[in-house]
Amino acid sequence: MSVAWRKASRSNTQGDECVEVANLGGHVGMRDSKAPEAGHLVLTPEVFRQLVNCLKQDDRDF
């Protein structure tokens, strides 16, 4: 299965602090664009939404 990774819209525009996301067929993949070979996280859509909401609120207790 080919996975289409895309840079998150809120990533650093300089390109040195980028998070990439991918639709993994019912889950969301996240990885560091500088080190894609290091692997990726697999999150449920609900956990991904919770993470994004916490980041938007600068809630570091996620």
Side-chain angles (χ1 to χ4, degrees):
M1 174 172 104
S2 178
V3 177
W5 292 93
R6 63 181 178 87
K7 188 189 313 186
S9 61
R10 300 277 184 177
S11 288
N12 182 318
T13 58
Q14 300 301 318
D16 57 348
E17 295 180 11
C18 300
V19 174
E20 294 179 326
V21 295
N23 180 340
L24 301 178
H27 289 81
V28 179
M30 292 179 58
R31 71 180 184 183
D32 182 345
S33 64
K34 297 183 307 285
E37 70 283 349
H40 60 274
L41 298 173
V42 177
L43 306 171
T44 65
E46 178 58 31
V47 170
F48 181 73
R49 279 190 291 277
Q50 290 174 0
L51 174 60
V52 170
N53 287 334
C54 287
L55 293 172
K56 286 180 179 179
Q57 297 170 16
D58 198 23
D59 181 355
R60 298 175 194 269
D61 293 327
F62 177 72

